[in-house]
Amino acid sequence: MHTNVRNSHEKINLDELLVPNLSLASLSSINTGGSADLAAFPTDFSELRALLDYAKRYSLPITILGGMTNTLISDEGIEGLTIITSHLARRHVQGEMFCVRSGLALDRVIDFSLEAGLSGLELLGGIPGSVGGAIYGNAGANGMAISDLLYYVDYMTYDGKLHRKQAHSDEFSYRHSPFSGRKDIIIYEAGFRLNPTLHTSEAKKQKDEVKHKRKEKGHYENPSLGSIFSNPPEGYAGKFLEDCNLKGKKIGGAMISNKHCNFIINSDGKATSSDIHSLLLLMQEEVLKRTGVKLRPEIQFIGRW
Ligand SMILES: Cc1cc2nc3c(=O)[nH]c(=O)nc-3n(C[C@H](O)[C@H](O)[C@H](O)COP(=O)(O)OP(=O)(O)OC[C@H]3O[C@@H](n4cnc5c(N)ncnc54)[C@H](O)[C@@H]3O)c2cc1C
């Protein structure tokens, strides 16, 4: 396939954009996973559209990745074209609206909005990953979700058309957005309606505090994907796992964090995605056996599973 790919992207002049066999482990926050058969980091609308056109022409499946902080990438890699959004990183202010491209890191968005004299997103400080990934899964923390201040989302369908969706709160819920599970769109830009403030230093302090608390809890000490399971209606996933005495349990190089029972860490850098998957299944089984509660993964499985 690579020969075809090489010939054809030369023909459509995407040589600079298409990267064959891109190893993804070092880009993923848990440092595991195989390679993307073909990857690209578009920087704007026209590059994105050209890539979609290319994938359609050669019938390549498309995978979208942001910061890879919530995705377990198969050790066998990802088929087709993987579009990584990290270079879609522009931003601008329109009155009280802070408009950002989807690849910008959420934590940076908060800093930039405060620099622009707009506050509101501070409680999400320190959540790793991109704005697009956060909207896809309606990321949240400290009693707030990203959807709370979201005003619009521009997304592209795989036919290259751009659509604007007004964000309605009733379409978002805990770790769920209207985009969750969709495999036919790319979130391109989002607008947040924020609060003009003269007290940005106080807001910045609040953001730094929530980030510092994460640090204290050990969030950034080891490669991880954050919480593996979302909280079930019955309570906290971490509490169920803790009650099953699973702290420190290992499979291969994957280990349940001693600090946060809902985190799997790759502490010595030797874990594979398959180790992590096996440990996830064991956690799920143990909790089900002991409590009757079925935990559901919060993370996404990407590639050849
Ligand atoms: C240490 C740590 C702490 C964390 N704490 C929290 C927390 O407190 N709260 C929380 O909610 N999460 C948390 N997470 C999980 C993760 O950071 C968030 O879910 C984050 O928003 C994922 O963004 P991402 O760019 O990394 O998405 P990715 O992992 O790259 O992708 C996640 C999903 O979104 C899709 N996607 C990504 N970008 C786009 C796009 N532009 N268009 C369409 N689909 C897209 C992907 O296809 C995939 O299905 C934590 C993770 C870590 C490692």
Side-chain angles (χ1 to χ4, degrees), residues 56-105:
K56 190 175 172 193
R57 194 176 316 174
Y58 295 98
S59 304
L60 300 176
I62 298 169
T63 300
I64 313 296
L65 289 174
M68 299 175 226
T69 66
N70 207 28
T71 43
L72 189 61
I73 297 162
S74 161
D75 296 320
E76 307 306 318
I78 307 178
E79 59 282 7
L81 175 64
T82 299
I83 296 177
I84 302 170
T85 63
S86 54
H87 293 189
L88 292 170
R90 292 203 173 177
R91 63 185 193 274
H92 66 275
V93 178
Q94 264 180 342
E96 296 172 12
M97 193 81 73
F98 196 69
C99 310
V100 292
R101 296 276 159 84
S102 62
L104 201 58

Side-chain angles (χ1 to χ4, degrees), residues 29-30 63-72 85 88 102-103 106 124 126-142 158 175 179 181-183 185-188 214 218-220 222-227 263 298 300-302:
S29 65
I30 197 155
T63 300
I64 313 296
L65 289 174
M68 299 175 226
T69 66
N70 207 28
T71 43
L72 189 61
T85 63
L88 292 170
S102 62
L106 175 60
L124 304 180
I127 297 183
S130 67
V131 169
I135 293 172
Y136 181 92
N138 195 21
N142 304 304
Y158 288 177
R175 301 296 180 267
F179 306 102
R182 283 191 70 172
K183 301 284 177 213
I185 57 105
I186 301 173
I187 297 167
Y188 180 68
R214 284 177 180 273
H219 277 207
Y220 312 125
N222 291 287
S224 82
L225 295 172
S227 295
F263 276 33
E298 184 174 308
Q300 309 289 319
F301 295 88
I302 300 277

Side-chain angles (χ1 to χ4, degrees), residues 233-252:
E234 294 87 347
Y236 289 104
K239 176 82 174 78
F240 287 115
L241 290 158
E242 206 165 320
D243 291 349
C244 292
N245 298 318
L246 286 169
K247 267 187 184 168
K249 177 91 191 156
K250 279 186 105 171
I251 291 187

